[in-house]
Amino acid sequence: YVDTISASGNITFETGTNGIDFGSSGNNDVSLIRTGNSSTQYGFNIKYLGSGSGVNNSLAVFTDNLTAGVDSIQALTIRQDGHVGVLNTSPLYELDVVGDFRASDDVLVGDDIQFLSDGCVIFFGTHSEVNLTHVHDTGLLLNSSKQLQFGDSGTYIHQSADGVLDLVSDNEIEI
């Protein structure tokens, strides 16, 4: 129940130990919090989505900007099984992102990384000065230097011309 409503519009709920209930387990798509400058034009909407059973129940954050002609977007989805989707309404993985994402610091991977597109490019360096490209049905292409370096700059494999592969070492090459 609502305990108090202040003159400034604040609402205080007396919740005890059970929290605040919105609807019941039989309700689908219950808006929990709606905020913005208009209740129907733009803002954010946090909703419970689901039927009350199964892993398809979720908490979702919608962004609305109807004044700019943009439909409501389900930006974030947290499923009952813990899977989180960003611009993905049915996440299949613990974090399932549709579109590009950026990590401004280290990304740590505890297992495999899979690149699923032909022509996939991995860039290295602040200005992407080194890249590794997957070429469909032929292998990997190292950027224009075409040089794979070992240890220090004195030991490398290099392609000096089409069909010519050089093994270079400032000491010794054992074959």
Side-chain angles (χ1 to χ4, degrees):
Y1 66 89
V2 175
D3 190 41
T4 59
I5 299 176
S6 70
S8 63
N10 294 329
I11 301 174
T12 303
F13 292 94
E14 180 66 38
T15 63
T17 58
N18 296 324
I20 302 170
D21 289 332
F22 294 91
S24 67
S25 63
N27 289 346
N28 296 335
D29 302 352
V30 176
S31 284
L32 304 177
I33 298 173
R34 173 84 178 112
T35 184
N37 291 340
S38 169
S39 63
T40 59
Q41 292 301 304
Y42 54 95
F44 294 91
N45 193 357
I46 298 175
K47 285 185 170 185
Y48 162 78
L49 304 174
S51 62
S53 63
V55 297
N56 292 325
N57 295 312
S58 60
L59 183 67
V61 176
F62 289 82
T63 61
D64 299 322
N65 190 2
L66 300 178
T67 55
V70 178
D71 287 337
S72 182
I73 296 171
Q74 190 169 335
L76 182 68
T77 303
I78 304 171
R79 281 191 357 185
Q80 190 168 336
D81 62 1
H83 292 182
V84 176
V86 177
L87 295 178
N88 185 338
T89 61
S90 301
L92 299 176
Y93 302 95
E94 283 77 10
L95 178 60
D96 205 338
V97 178
V98 172
D100 297 339
F101 76 93
R102 177 180 175 183
S104 61
D105 211 339
D106 298 338
V107 175
L108 306 175
V109 178
D111 209 342
D112 301 334
I113 296 178
Q114 218 175 34
F115 299 98
L116 300 176
S117 69
D118 285 332
C120 176
V121 180
I122 302 172
F123 295 97
F124 301 92
T126 304
H127 303 288
S128 302
E129 55 270 6
V130 176
N131 60 66
L132 191 60
T133 305
H134 173 255
V135 180
H136 180 69
D137 289 336
T138 61
L140 294 173
L141 172 66
L142 193 58
N143 65 328
S144 61
S145 73
K146 296 178 179 71
Q147 178 173 305
L148 185 56
Q149 181 176 308
F150 300 91
D152 59 29
S153 60
T155 305
Y156 57 91
I157 299 172
H158 175 75
Q159 182 181 358
S160 57
D162 274 347
V164 178
L165 186 63
D166 298 324
L167 302 175
V168 179
S169 176
D170 52 4
N171 286 322
E172 164 183 354
I173 298 176
E174 293 183 24
I175 298 181

